[in-house]
Amino acid sequence: MKLGVLQFFSWPERRVDLATVYARALERIEIMDRTGYDAVWLAEHHFSSFSVCPSVHMVGTLAAARTRRLRIGTAVSLAPFYHPLRLAEEVALLDLLSGGRVNWGAGRGFARVEFTAFGVPPEESASRFRETVEIVLRAWTDERLNFTGQHFRFEDLEILPKPAQLPHPPVWMAASSEGAIEWAAGRGFSILMDPHSSAVEIGRKRRFYAEKLAAAGFSEAARDIPIARLVALADNAGEAAAVARSGAEWILNSYLGAQHRPVMRGSFTPAGVDPVQRYPRRGHPARHPRQGRRRDTAPTRRDRPRLSAVRTPQPPILHAADREGAAPASLDDYVAARRPSPRRRGEGED
C-alpha cells in the first residue's frame, strides 16, 4: 500500500487570495515529501474555481524543485486540449527537471465549458485523446517521429527533450466508464480509478478491468491501480460526519455540478441518495490499520476541511505480457513491445 494526495486547487467562495491556494498546496507537498507519502497527483481543470490549476506541468516543476523523493503525478493531463507534441515536450521536460520522478496520468476531460472554449467537439474527445496518447508515447521513444492519424500528421521530426525514465515515465489512463476501461486494458495501460464511484462500483470496475486485461494477453503482476478514496479527519465522530458531508458534496459537485454541464451522461448519485453513503466505511485509523485507501489533502489545516484521497502507484512502468513481432508501427504494437521496468536515461548505457 502506498499513500499519496490527489491535489485539487479549490478556491471555495474565493475567501483567500488565489496565491494562498497555491502556497498552501506547495506547503502540503513539501510535508508529504518529508513524511513518507509516495506521490502527489496534480489535478488539471479550467474555467472554474472548484480547482484552479490550468497547468499541472508548470505546478509539477515547482513541486519537483521543492522536493527530493516524492513522485510527481498528473491526474490528469487533459490530453484532448493539447497539441500532442507540446504535451510530449512538457512532460518529458518535467521528468528531466524532477530527476525522473514523473507519473504520467492522461484523461479525456468532462466539463463541457472546457471542450467549448478549446474548440474541441465533445464527440471527438475519445479519438483525440487516444491519438494524442499514441503520439506522446511515440514522441518519447522514436528517434524520428513519423505519424499519420485522424487528427494529426507529422513527418521526420526529432522530439526533444526525451524523458529521463526509460523507455518513458510510468503511464496511467483515467478510466471510469466500461468503454474507457476496456480500451485501456486492451492496450495494456494501467488505469486511474475515480474518486466519485462508490466502493461497490469501484470493485465492479476493478474486476472488469482485470478480466479485459487478461483477455488482451497482459499480466496484472507488479501493476498498481490507483484508487481515489475519501476520508474525513476530525477530533470526534460528529465533526467527522460534518466534514464527510461537506467533502462528499464537494467532490461530487466538482465532477457533476450543473455549472460544468458535464459531457458524460447520467449521475453518480441517484436522486434521493445521500452522497455520504457512497463512502460508508467508518472507524478510527488505529482500529483499522488496513483501511488505508485514502488521500489526505490537508497536512496543514488552514483552509477548510476537504476530502481528497488517493492510493498511489509505485514508480515502475506498467507491465505487459511478452509478445513477439516486428518493430512497433502502431499503438497496439508499441504497447506490446514495451519493457517491464524503467530506468533513467543514461543508466546502463555506454
Side-chain angles (χ1 to χ4, degrees):
M1 176 71 70
K2 293 181 175 69
L3 297 178
V5 170
L6 175 53
Q7 180 65 60
F8 288 91
F9 297 82
S10 63
W11 196 19
E13 300 160 16
R14 309 190 181 196
R15 293 194 301 261
V16 299
D17 184 80
L18 184 55
T20 303
V21 173
Y22 301 119
R24 291 177 180 175
L26 289 165
E27 182 183 359
R28 294 189 193 99
I29 290 169
E30 291 180 26
I31 293 171
M32 286 187 286
D33 185 56
R34 299 195 301 266
T35 55
Y37 284 80
D38 174 67
V40 61
W41 294 83
L42 305 171
E44 176 183 332
H45 292 289
H46 303 266
F47 317 121
S48 172
S49 63
F50 86 83
S51 186
V52 189
C53 184
S55 175
V56 290
H57 314 122
M58 184 174 291
V59 174
T61 300
L62 187 55
R66 296 193 180 192
T67 56
R68 293 179 178 272
R69 45 154 299 277
L70 193 71
R71 302 287 299 180
I72 309 298
T74 63
V76 291
S77 302
L78 294 175
F81 306 143
Y82 287 87
H83 189 286
L85 300 186
R86 183 61 180 264
L87 180 57
E89 291 171 337
E90 289 192 3
V91 179
L93 181 59
L94 175 57
D95 197 46
L96 278 174
L97 295 177
S98 67
R101 288 188 282 143
V102 166
N103 290 344
W104 188 50
R108 288 170 54 184
F110 66 89
R112 190 173 299 274
V113 64
E114 294 176 337
F115 285 92
T116 300
F118 288 125
V120 177
E123 60 272 15
E124 293 182 6
S125 65
S127 62
R128 286 184 175 273
F129 165 69
R130 295 171 184 180
E131 191 166 303
T132 296
V133 168
E134 178 173 0
I135 293 168
V136 168
L137 293 174
R138 290 182 57 177
W140 287 342
T141 55
D142 292 358
E143 290 297 325
R144 312 288 300 190
L145 177 65
N146 290 279
F147 180 86
T148 299
Q150 179 180 349
H151 303 288
F152 300 97
R153 182 175 182 273
F154 308 111
E155 291 185 5
D156 195 33
L157 290 177
E158 182 183 22
I159 310 303
L160 295 173
K162 301 296 187 188
Q165 298 174 90
L166 291 176
H168 53 66
V171 174
W172 287 265
M173 299 294 120
S176 182
S177 68
E178 286 194 353
I181 293 171
E182 184 171 5
W183 175 83
R187 285 151 181 81
F189 290 119
S190 292
I191 60 173
L192 294 166
M193 302 195 75
D194 58 78
H196 43 67
S197 292
S198 68
V200 172
E201 291 166 341
I202 286 290
R204 177 181 56 79
K205 292 177 182 180
R206 181 69 180 80
R207 290 188 294 272
F208 180 77
Y209 170 73
E211 292 170 1
K212 297 301 179 182
L213 195 68
F218 291 98
S219 172
E220 197 174 359
R223 184 190 296 265
D224 276 348
I225 308 300
I227 303 173
R229 295 290 82 191
L230 311 184
V231 61
L233 302 177
D235 294 331
N236 58 64
E239 290 181 7
V243 172
R245 178 170 303 282
S246 173
E249 291 173 347
W250 177 80
I251 196 70
L252 289 173
N253 183 61
S254 295
Y255 284 89
L256 289 178
Q259 72 273 24
H260 307 307
R261 297 176 61 222
V263 296
M264 60 189 61
R265 295 182 180 180
S267 172
F268 291 103
T269 304
V273 174
D274 186 343
V276 175
Q277 298 309 309
R278 299 184 64 79
Y279 314 101
R281 304 189 75 176
R282 296 182 181 181
H284 191 283
R287 301 191 192 113
H288 298 276
R290 291 180 133 349
Q291 189 175 319
R293 297 179 183 176
R294 68 189 186 190
R295 92 191 144 165
D296 178 359
T297 51
T300 61
R301 294 192 173 196
R302 290 183 295 187
D303 52 352
R304 77 179 181 94
R306 293 185 308 188
L307 302 182
S308 34
V310 78
R311 179 190 178 197
T312 60
Q314 62 187 8
I317 181 179
L318 51 116
H319 294 255
D322 290 336
R323 295 181 178 180
E324 296 180 357
S330 67
L331 180 59
D332 290 355
D333 295 331
Y334 172 77
V335 295
R338 283 177 291 175
R339 297 294 183 266
S341 61
R343 64 186 187 279
R344 292 183 184 176
R345 197 167 298 274
E347 292 179 359
E349 298 178 351
D350 295 333

